[in-house]
Amino acid sequence: MDGMARLSARLPENAPGDLYVDDTCIDCDTCRQIAPAVFAQSARQLSYVQAQPADEAERRRALMALVACPTSSIGTVSPAEDVRAAGEAFPELVAENVHYCGFTSPRSFGAASYLIVRPEGNVLVDSPRAAEPLARRIESLGGVHTLLLTHADDVADHRFWHARFGCERVMHGADVSSDTADVERTLGGAEAVPLADDLRAVPVPGHTAGSLALLYRERFLFTGDHLWWSPRVRRLHASRGVCWYSWPEQLASLRRLLDLRFEWVLPGHGRRFQAPSAAAMRAELERALLALST
Ligand code: SF4
């Protein structure tokens, strides 16, 4: 954590007890994904403690959320000596060798980042917060060979990770700004680019002009802010409201994903989604396209 939650700013919605959320919450959804039994969204669209942890397992999830919160908005009334252990749970395994990094950054509005652990070199997808405890854990998993930046919004502390591990940073040239002018590799055009036998960078312009998805093993698709699962509409979703570049382009990029095989959608914002098969994922994508195109 870079800061601390303030008890004096505790939200009135919080259930009485040790754990609380203060008024600096930015509603990024991170805590609700990590510890849904404890955190919920209020009518004011802020997270709050809906129920204090009922057992040790729920407390551990809640403290993981505390560590992952980008704005240090979650606190405990009494000193939480088990916070350090909760932080060591990141990167947390999602499936196979794909991990969720936690430790989100306010610079990317709490976007999720992921670590693919592979013998040919680990890949970090988007930048977690610059946090030495996470860096030490990633070091123990083999460090970072490549940092794939899906788009300009989620680059956060990319310089820290490059300096720490000497990783090659890859992003699309259309999203490069003064903040990322020093990245080692920029991709161009609209065609997918193989980064390795099992990795393909797929341009998906729409949310931004240079948005990229990363396809790993034809199973995992890291989507940045291009596509995510929405519990509200109960399907894959993209948003016209947060489309900064071109909605028609974003729909066209979504349509092109029908040519790919994958079973997982792993977004920066929004919920992850696993379909039982590539065919089922394709059907979900078609369902989303139908809804989004009307
Ligand atoms: S992780 Fe922090 S900022 Fe994000 S919704 Fe929870 S309390 Fe709010």
Side-chain angles (χ1 to χ4, degrees):
M1 273 193 311
D2 296 328
M4 287 178 67
R6 289 174 304 131
L7 190 55
S8 59
R10 173 182 174 140
L11 294 172
E13 293 93 333
N14 288 295
D18 190 44
L19 196 74
Y20 66 92
V21 177
D22 77 13
D23 65 6
T24 60
C25 171
I26 58 171
D27 194 35
C28 73
D29 193 38
T30 297
C31 58
R32 303 191 295 265
Q33 293 192 44
I34 294 173
V38 173
F39 299 98
Q41 188 183 41
S42 72
R44 295 194 289 157
Q45 303 218 313
L46 297 170
S47 278
Y48 70 106
V49 174
Q50 62 171 335
Q52 294 290 331
D55 54 28
E56 272 310 303
E58 284 191 8
R59 179 172 170 86
R60 183 175 170 80
R61 298 303 300 177
L63 292 182
M64 287 172 67
L66 182 155
V67 171
C69 174
T71 45
S72 301
S73 305
I74 302 171
T76 55
V77 176
S78 52
E81 285 158 11
D82 37 355
V83 166
R84 182 186 295 253
E88 287 172 356
F90 296 116
E92 182 187 32
L93 189 65
V94 175
E96 295 185 13
N97 50 349
V98 173
H99 300 72
Y100 166 60
C101 292
F103 287 86
T104 68
S105 169
R107 297 186 64 211
S108 58
F109 203 80
S113 59
Y114 303 91
L115 182 74
I116 310 172
V117 177
R118 50 198 284 285
E120 302 85 358
N122 295 347
V123 179
L124 190 57
V125 183
D126 286 329
S127 171
R129 190 186 335 143
E132 191 51 37
L134 177 65
R136 282 195 294 273
R137 287 279 299 132
I138 289 178
E139 189 168 37
S140 74
L141 292 168
V144 182
H145 179 272
T146 303
L147 169 53
L148 189 287
L149 298 166
T150 59
H151 66 296
D153 300 343
D154 292 352
V155 300
D157 296 322
H158 65 99
R159 282 203 186 84
F160 170 86
W161 298 102
H162 172 68
R164 186 69 166 70
F165 292 112
C167 52
E168 178 181 61
R169 291 164 293 177
V170 180
M171 74 184 297
H172 196 285
D175 264 26
V176 169
S177 68
S178 56
D179 182 36
T180 46
D182 60 345
V183 300
E184 288 66 42
R185 185 174 179 189
T186 53
L187 309 181
E191 297 302 316
V193 177
L195 301 179
D197 288 348
D198 54 354
L199 286 168
R200 210 180 325 165
V202 182
V204 285
H207 172 67
T208 62
S211 284
L212 288 173
L214 180 70
L215 182 63
Y216 174 56
R217 280 189 185 161
E218 299 205 315
R219 180 137 202 254
F220 300 94
L221 188 72
F222 300 88
T223 53
D225 292 349
H226 178 58
L227 178 70
W228 60 90
W229 179 267
S230 164
R232 182 177 59 83
V233 295
R234 304 183 65 79
R235 59 164 167 74
L236 290 172
H237 190 47
S239 168
R240 212 185 278 251
V242 293
C243 179
W244 315 133
Y245 172 59
S246 163
W247 183 243
E249 285 275 342
Q250 185 152 0
L251 290 178
S253 295
L254 285 168
R255 262 181 229 109
R256 284 195 295 276
L257 294 185
L258 292 170
D259 297 334
L260 305 179
R261 286 178 57 82
F262 56 97
E263 295 166 25
W264 280 86
V265 166
L266 297 155
H269 291 111
R271 300 292 171 101
R272 300 172 209 149
F273 177 65
Q274 181 189 17
S277 66
M281 180 61 87
R282 185 188 162 87
E284 282 294 340
L285 190 53
E286 285 174 336
R287 193 163 73 88
L289 269 165
L290 195 63
L292 293 168
S293 301
T294 54

